[in-house]
Amino acid sequence: MRVLGVDPGLTRCGLGVVDGGAGRSVSCVAVGVVRTPVDAELPSRLLQVSEAVDDWLDTHRPDVVAVERVFSQHNVRTVMGTAQVSGVVAVCAARRGLPVSFHTPSEVKAAVTGSGRADKAQVTAMVTRVLRLRKAPSPADAADALALAICHLWREPIRARLAEAEAKAAELARVHRARLAEAAKRRENRTGTGLT
Amino acid sequence: MRVLGVDPGLTRCGLGVVDGGAGRSVSCVAVGVVRTPVDAELPSRLLQVSEAVDDWLDTHRPDVVAVERVFSQHNVRTVMGTAQVSGVVAVCAARRGLPVSFHTPSEVKAAVTGSGRADKAQVTAMVTRVLRLRKAPSPADAADALALAICHLWREPIRARLAEAEAKAAELARVHRARLAEAAKRRENRTGTGLT
């Protein structure tokens, strides 16, 4: 499975394509950053990011897009821009029928380093190691995009297995309830026959 | 000038097209609301809004798009969705080379009702009156979209005149500074000649 990870941002938007192999093996296909000028108009900046993402989707043809889930706890202006970029990226994916998966920063950190509170340097170091890169991806946005893709590849099987187990459990419960209802009906019928 | 006003939202996105005539005369061209199902996936909802806006832009061919500026002071989840929609709308406009103008809710209320703290009912009543509509636009998102377009039409000439006045003042200041520098240089040259 090939994943495009996106660390959304207006000034720097990190993009990273990762292929998942057998087990937990992962390999880096491409990594980069789209920059848009701070003094440009917002719509033009969003369009530039949109076109870059379209370009990456066409070039690398991922199966899924993993985007950082944005929270509004930080700087308001930055968060608005980040949310707008994430919306634009989601539309690029949806237009191609690609699923989009959102992961929180702590999910990404936990998946890649084992700790949801790891710092940027630890994330970059682990990304560099698991992808066997000769040098650390830079800037941090590029490393974060790769981390998002890896997080998706490693979490997805667990999530899928969990969903399957839940579906199976729900089906068993349904069958069990149906049998109980059937038994109750039979008992009722027998009692009914006895009384008339 | 024709303006498409957009009151961004995921569940309901208000759209209103208004033509501006001589002075403050305005007329309603079209008004409506795009709804997306609450239980659908976010990327698909954003795509639906994006396609609806594309459709409105192609059908009504506005000269400019006026969008509500989103603040993060309200409910976090709602604000994120609203910000994402506003980003997607901005890209639809930018792709056609159309300017996008952002107005805050209080700018819109002040422009349309005279008070930045008017309530929804007052905004709807004024929109209905100035556009000479036979009945009030409903839901409120549709009225808000029309109010945004009217706000843009009424504020834009003032903003343009202000920008022109500022540019003229800056040019006068530049000429003045150049003359001062020229005079200082001449004085220096004269003094210089006197000394040697």
Side-chain angles (χ1 to χ4, degrees), chain B residues 49-71:
Chain B
V49 175
S50 173
E51 287 176 343
V53 170
D54 276 337
D55 206 34
W56 277 64
L57 291 174
D58 289 341
T59 305
H60 301 293
R61 309 215 160 261
D63 303 299
V64 55
V65 179
V67 184
E68 188 175 295
R69 190 181 291 279
V70 183
F71 285 108

Side-chain angles (χ1 to χ4, degrees), chain A residues 34-167:
Chain A
V34 191
R35 293 170 198 270
T36 72
V38 179
D39 55 354
E41 300 264 359
L42 174 66
S44 135
R45 299 180 77 183
L46 289 169
L47 179 60
Q48 283 174 54
V49 174
S50 174
E51 287 177 343
V53 170
D54 276 337
D55 205 35
W56 277 63
L57 291 173
D58 289 341
T59 306
H60 300 293
R61 310 214 159 260
D63 303 299
V64 54
V65 179
V67 184
E68 188 175 294
R69 191 181 292 280
V70 183
F71 285 108
S72 75
Q73 67 230 24
H74 310 291
N75 178 298
V76 172
R77 280 198 63 167
T78 313
V79 162
M80 287 296 121
T82 309
Q84 289 171 321
V85 170
S86 79
V88 166
V89 171
V91 167
C92 293
R95 196 171 285 132
R96 286 165 175 79
L98 293 178
V100 182
S101 179
F102 293 92
H103 303 273
T104 66
S106 55
E107 281 169 353
V108 175
K109 288 172 186 172
V112 174
T113 72
S115 160
R117 289 186 289 177
D119 62 20
K120 286 210 170 282
Q122 287 172 286
V123 171
T124 299
M126 278 305 292
V127 164
T128 310
R129 195 198 295 176
V130 300
L131 291 173
R132 298 170 310 280
L133 302 174
R134 269 175 299 175
K135 60 180 198 113
S138 163
D141 315 78
D144 284 346
L146 291 172
L148 268 153
I150 296 168
C151 167
H152 182 80
L153 285 163
W154 287 354
R155 278 172 59 96
E156 197 46 39
I158 301 166
R159 189 148 66 177
R161 230 178 299 155
L162 204 69
E164 200 184 321
E166 279 170 353

